[in-house]
Amino acid sequence: MTADEIETYLREIDSELAIQNVIGEICIYGGATMCLAFKARPSTKDVDAVFEPINSIRGIISRITEKYNLRQDWLNFAVKIFVVEHKKQILFDLPNLKVFVPNSDYLLAMKVLALRAESFDAEDVKFLIESLEIDSVEQIVEIVKNYYPNKILKPETVFQLEELFEKRK
């Protein structure tokens, strides 16, 4: 799914909310944020998001899924179990839908916790490290602890982060 496609679907959600005379909010995470907000990559497989009102937007998502022949989980609410309190900024302020993205440091914390070698996560983490001008693994550990104080980074995650810094030298 490209950034343009995601934006089209979000605008359709806005239009359908207008027909229902409902105001909604979506906060997107993961690869969709990397595509839309940062332009760091051309596409993502799905859109991780938290949204309100849940029932209205779920119905709209089903119609968009059918209309565009998308995967059933193209807009994925499962990220909600990982989301903690964080600052957000508005990406799109549409008439009936506000689309938010998390601040870069929060997205970095989420990406580091999800870091897998076989995914785009490493490239996303590298991009966020550079955009936040982070100089050490210790700084990343502090950012993660700030949002997720009870999480301990796995040794393999720390090793991957160290490798990212080695490659930058």
Side-chain angles (χ1 to χ4, degrees):
M1 218 179 301
T2 67
D4 288 342
E5 289 170 330
I6 296 167
E7 186 174 345
T8 295
Y9 307 147
L10 292 171
R11 290 186 182 281
E12 286 211 24
I13 292 171
D14 174 65
S15 296
E16 292 223 20
L17 286 172
I19 292 167
Q20 297 176 18
N21 199 28
V22 172
I23 303 294
E25 290 186 357
I26 293 179
C27 188
I28 61 172
Y29 299 90
T33 301
M34 299 306 295
C35 290
L36 280 172
F38 297 111
K39 313 282 188 243
R41 57 164 137 140
S43 64
T44 186
K45 67 179 173 63
D46 61 7
V47 178
D48 296 318
V50 175
F51 48 85
E52 292 283 337
I54 293 171
N55 290 336
S56 295
I57 293 178
R58 276 201 173 135
I60 294 167
I61 291 166
S62 292
R63 289 190 286 285
I64 291 171
T65 300
E66 287 179 31
K67 179 178 179 179
Y68 292 97
N69 196 30
L70 300 172
R71 294 175 15 177
Q72 289 296 319
D73 64 347
W74 74 268
L75 198 133
N76 184 345
F77 195 70
V79 71
K80 182 163 177 47
I81 64 173
F82 301 105
V83 173
V84 297
E85 188 64 35
H86 64 283
K87 291 182 182 174
K88 300 178 260 191
Q89 53 199 31
I90 291 182
L91 181 63
F92 301 121
D93 191 0
L94 305 171
N96 286 70
L97 181 68
K98 287 191 184 335
V99 179
F100 297 91
V101 292
N103 287 352
S104 299
D105 62 335
Y106 180 72
L107 188 59
L108 176 64
M110 289 185 88
K111 284 284 184 183
V112 166
L113 289 173
L115 193 58
R116 299 176 308 273
E118 69 281 354
S119 71
F120 284 108
D121 293 329
E123 285 301 311
D124 292 346
V125 166
K126 181 180 171 188
F127 177 90
L128 292 166
I129 287 169
E130 290 170 3
S131 70
L132 289 165
E133 299 178 354
I134 294 174
D135 297 321
S136 69
V137 173
E138 292 76 21
Q139 284 178 284
I140 296 171
V141 170
E142 284 306 309
I143 289 170
V144 172
K145 280 185 183 177
N146 183 45
Y147 291 106
Y148 298 95
N150 297 324
K151 294 276 187 185
I152 297 172
L153 293 183
K154 295 181 273 184
E156 55 268 26
T157 301
V158 174
F159 180 72
Q160 270 187 280
L161 292 171
E162 288 169 348
E163 280 187 328
L164 285 175
F165 281 101
E166 282 297 315
K167 288 178 184 173
R168 289 177 66 194
K169 291 180 183 176

